[in-house]
Amino acid sequence: MSFRVVRTSKFRHVYGSSLKRDQCYDNIRVSKSSWDSTFCCVNPKFLAIIVESAGGGAFIVLPLSKVGRINADHPLVGGHKGPVLDIAWCPHNDNVIASGSEDCVVKVWHIPDGGISRTLTEPIVDLIYHQRRVGLVLWHPTAQNVLLTAGSDNQVAIWNVGTGEVMVRIDCHPDIVYCASWNWDGSQLVTTCKDKKIRLINPRTGNVDEEAVCHEGSKATRAIFLKSGLIFTTGFSKMSERQYSLRAPEQLTEPIVMVELDTSNGVMFPLYDPDTNLVYLCGKGDSVIRYFEITAELPFVHYINTFQTPDPQRGIGMMPKRGCDVSSCEITRFYRLNNSGLCQVITMTVPRKSELFQEDLYPDTLGDTAASTAEEWLEGKDAEPLLISLKDGYTPKSAQKSELRVNRKANLLEKKSGRGDGGNQHYSSESLPDDIIQQFKEEIRKLKAMIVKHEERIRILEKTAKEYESEKVSASNVEEKPNSDNAAPNNANSDLGPDEV
């Protein structure tokens, strides 16, 4: 007699369900770019989607409550000169989003509560460093205002967005960087590259601690850090079969698990939930979402189920846990883009009969408060993320508490003073050095003297022009008078006969 032992797991019966069409977002012109990006990102306030736009690049930002059919003339965020390739919401400020584009510029934007009422073209700050298109933007999980960008120039830059300066430059990649991921406290960085290698990097120095061949296929690979410190990767084999693997940081060359999934050619995006240890695999062009649970038991990566849809997906975004509905035992929510222009909302739910708060499903999760500043992180401080409880639900901060303050050498993304004066900035002279003030005064004095000089010259020229015109008119009158006197005798002689003349 044989017994089949079923693995015990609270997530074994997780099921996905899509909301009705009137609760989704329709008529969206999703970007047709061939770049391997999710084209979508979401937070508890807004949904952002990269869209097609004439005359440059743009993305649309919608409040979560604005469901249904979106007007074709809906305002866009459109300050880029080339197509937008990647976008990312700041984890510590739900009103701030970063975008990378083919115009080699990274822009950081502030979105007011309620969304935008007209096309937004003025960012808070432009981050200019890359020489070729920027296809990856990624915020630091614990440090405030720290943003990672990667471009087709094979360069990775880590910015202090508050001052608009590059803190660290990483140039260890010989080819295009496909993806990057921070570990739990942001002290390590893992990247994948077109040279098929995965690299473990010290983000403060840019030194490569370890590298190994990730997947032998030539197509794009992805890697993410798990909360336990392990690394989960997706890629292709030599025979173009899709694979996933689980690796330990100190033994990257020997994967713990390497499994082949299918022979489809779409890049798989691994989306990770650190609270439940679930990994969702969403392939570009696929019509399914597979999800797995990662545990310390063999075979470590346990297949749970597959969510099937009739339409292939163009992109996908994953809601942070603080935006999920704890009353219905919703553990994940996806915003899935179809080629038809529909953004479909998919909820992943654990079936429970009780309506009470389920503490085992909702441990303390990532909050929206930074654990350290950019300067502290650069100096070597590693801080664990600040966690919050979802027992009483989560209420997003209002714009007054999370707005921006645009000051010289100050944190741009911390606070923002109100703009009741129509957007004009007023700076106090007390914040400027005396020599700068004196220099400004001297320049103003010179400009005033120059204006007076030019005004005097203009008056002289106008007077000369008037005199010249009057002389010209009088001269023309004198010329006309003799001609009229000579004409009279001729007319008189014409009346006489030929003999009389």
Side-chain angles (χ1 to χ4, degrees):
M1 183 180 294
S2 62
F3 296 93
R4 182 182 178 185
V5 179
V6 178
R7 185 179 68 89
T8 303
S9 172
K10 68 188 84 171
F11 304 111
R12 195 158 57 90
H13 300 291
V14 171
Y15 68 94
S17 58
S18 60
L19 301 186
K20 295 181 180 179
R21 196 178 185 97
D22 59 354
Q23 295 176 301
C24 300
Y25 308 84
D26 202 357
N27 194 34
I28 297 174
R29 304 187 306 273
V30 183
S31 173
K32 297 179 182 178
S33 172
S34 61
W35 186 257
D36 291 323
S37 173
T38 57
F39 296 134
C40 176
C41 63
V42 64
N43 66 18
K45 282 187 178 181
F46 301 105
L47 167 67
I49 301 171
I50 302 175
V51 296
E52 282 291 302
S53 174
F59 58 96
I60 190 171
V61 176
L62 302 170
L64 293 185
S65 59
K66 190 176 178 60
V67 295
R69 187 175 180 85
I70 308 301
N71 295 331
D73 59 349
H74 191 279
L76 304 175
V77 181
H80 285 285
K81 297 179 181 178
V84 178
L85 300 180
D86 196 19
I87 50 178
W89 287 106
C90 177
H92 308 127
N93 191 333
D94 289 338
N95 295 82
V96 173
I97 187 171
S99 59
S101 168
E102 285 191 6
D103 62 5
C104 310
V105 179
V106 178
K107 295 178 183 288
V108 180
W109 311 84
H110 179 268
I111 309 298
D113 283 347
I116 56 178
S117 57
R118 60 181 181 178
T119 297
L120 184 62
T121 57
E122 292 297 327
I124 311 167
V125 62
D126 289 330
L127 306 179
I128 302 174
Y129 168 74
H130 295 282
Q131 301 300 314
R132 299 185 66 183
R133 61 182 178 179
V134 181
L136 174 64
V137 291
L138 181 68
W139 292 93
H140 194 280
T142 63
Q144 189 176 26
N145 302 347
V146 176
L147 178 68
L148 179 146
T149 62
S152 296
D153 54 0
N154 310 338
Q155 299 289 315
V156 176
I158 299 178
W159 301 81
N160 181 351
V161 179
T163 59
E165 299 174 342
V166 178
M167 296 190 296
V168 183
R169 297 172 175 82
I170 302 174
D171 58 356
C172 60
H173 301 90
D175 215 324
I176 296 175
V177 179
Y178 282 138
C179 83
S181 175
W182 300 98
N183 67 345
W184 179 245
D185 61 359
S187 60
Q188 281 187 314
L189 184 69
V190 64
T191 63
T192 60
C193 182
K194 195 174 181 180
D195 66 351
K196 306 179 183 179
K197 289 187 177 181
I198 181 174
R199 290 174 173 83
L200 200 61
I201 300 173
N202 184 336
R204 295 185 179 93
T205 62
N207 297 330
V208 179
D209 296 334
E210 191 177 0
E211 67 178 27
V213 175
C214 186
H215 294 273
E216 296 181 348
S218 58
K219 296 180 182 179
T221 57
R222 301 274 158 174
I224 55 172
F225 255 117
L226 305 182
K227 186 176 180 180
S228 61
L230 298 178
I231 298 173
F232 186 89
T233 69
T234 62
F236 295 82
S237 67
K238 283 185 177 180
M239 306 300 293
S240 293
E241 297 170 323
R242 293 200 294 191
Q243 301 174 322
Y244 70 80
S245 72
L246 187 66
R247 302 168 188 262
E250 297 181 356
Q251 295 179 344
L252 292 180
T253 56
E254 299 178 1
I256 301 171
V257 174
M258 177 78 80
V259 177
E260 294 180 354
L261 277 177
D262 53 30
T263 57
S264 180
N265 58 1
V267 176
M268 285 191 300
F269 300 103
L271 303 177
Y272 176 58
D273 180 6
D275 299 334
T276 59
N277 247 5
L278 295 180
V279 173
Y280 302 85
L281 296 186
C282 311
K284 206 166 189 178
D286 289 0
S287 57
V288 298
I289 300 176
R290 300 180 179 91
Y291 41 107
F292 303 79
E293 183 180 6
I294 300 176
T295 67
E297 307 169 359
L298 286 171
F300 306 112
V301 181
H302 305 273
Y303 170 75
I304 296 179
N305 208 340
T306 299
F307 175 76
Q308 183 79 38
T309 58
D311 301 320
Q313 58 204 11
R314 177 72 179 152
I316 196 164
M318 183 178 179
M319 173 70 78
K321 185 59 65 71
R322 50 195 172 91
C324 294
D325 183 11
V326 298
S327 61
S328 62
C329 295
E330 179 189 35
I331 59 171
T332 312
R333 188 186 307 166
F334 293 108
Y335 290 75
R336 181 178 177 275
L337 304 178
N338 296 339
N339 291 323
S340 61
L342 174 68
C343 179
Q344 188 179 15
V345 183
I346 299 170
T347 64
M348 294 290 179
T349 308
V350 177
R352 295 279 177 95
K353 291 183 179 180
S354 175
E355 296 181 357
L356 301 176
F357 179 73
Q358 308 294 315
E359 294 186 0
D360 59 332
L361 298 182
Y362 301 102
D364 289 352
T365 188
L366 294 172
D368 57 356
T369 304
S372 63
T373 64
E375 292 78 10
E376 291 173 343
W377 175 81
L378 185 62
E379 291 171 358
K381 178 183 177 181
D382 292 328
E384 291 282 324
L386 300 181
L387 307 179
I388 59 173
S389 174
L390 297 177
K391 187 171 184 178
D392 299 324
Y394 171 77
T395 303
K397 293 181 180 179
S398 62
Q400 286 78 14
K401 295 183 179 180
S402 62
E403 282 189 345
L404 315 178
R405 177 178 299 159
V406 183
N407 288 330
R408 188 169 176 264
K409 293 289 185 181
N411 276 342
L412 298 176
L413 311 183
E414 219 177 30
K415 304 280 183 183
K416 183 180 179 183
S417 58
R419 291 195 174 187
D421 55 351
N424 294 324
Q425 301 284 337
H426 296 283
Y427 297 96
S428 173
S429 60
E430 296 177 357
S431 61
L432 297 175
D434 292 339
D435 56 343
I436 299 294
I437 296 174
Q438 191 63 31
Q439 185 178 353
F440 285 161
K441 289 181 178 179
E442 183 66 20
E443 291 292 336
I444 293 171
R445 187 189 64 78
K446 291 180 180 179
L447 288 173
K448 287 182 177 179
M450 189 180 298
I451 291 172
V452 171
K453 185 177 179 181
H454 284 306
E455 286 179 348
E456 183 65 26
R457 186 181 177 188
I458 290 171
R459 281 196 293 269
I460 295 172
L461 290 174
E462 287 178 348
K463 184 179 179 181
T464 306
K466 288 180 180 179
E467 293 176 352
Y468 176 76
E469 288 293 334
S470 61
E471 291 177 359
K472 188 177 179 181
V473 171
S474 60
S476 62
N477 292 335
V478 171
E479 290 177 359
E480 290 177 359
K481 189 173 183 179
N483 292 337
S484 60
D485 294 341
N486 295 334
N490 294 336
N491 294 335
N493 294 336
S494 61
D495 295 335
L496 301 174
D499 297 336
E500 298 175 340
V501 175

